[in-house]
């Protein structure tokens, strides 16, 4: 999969490297600001009961 992405990025090695870093940053931002906040209320880690 990473090879497929690398082959389809335009430009030379330097621009591909910069574009791949931008893609990684975009995926991390999407996870941090959209996916994780959506999933967090659905996780059972805060449901602690002591009898």
């Amino acid at each position: 999969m990473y090879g497929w992405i690398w082959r389809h990025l335009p430009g030379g090695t330097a621009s591909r490297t910069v574009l791949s870093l931008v893609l990684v940053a975009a995926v991390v931002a999407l996870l941090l600001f959209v996916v994780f906040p959506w999933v967090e209320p659905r996780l059972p880690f805060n449901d602690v009961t002591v009898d």
Side-chain angles (χ1 to χ4, degrees):
M1 179 173 88
Y2 298 116
W4 182 88
I5 294 171
W6 185 259
R7 285 190 305 270
H8 286 83
L9 288 174
T13 304
S15 65
R16 285 181 179 185
T17 303
V18 170
L19 284 173
S20 64
L21 290 174
V22 168
L23 285 173
V24 167
V27 168
V28 168
L30 179 71
L31 286 172
L32 285 174
F33 296 116
V34 177
V35 176
F36 293 154
W38 177 78
V39 170
E40 193 269 332
R42 292 162 176 79
L43 295 175
F45 300 132
N46 291 333
D47 298 337
V48 179
T49 57
V50 179
D51 292 330

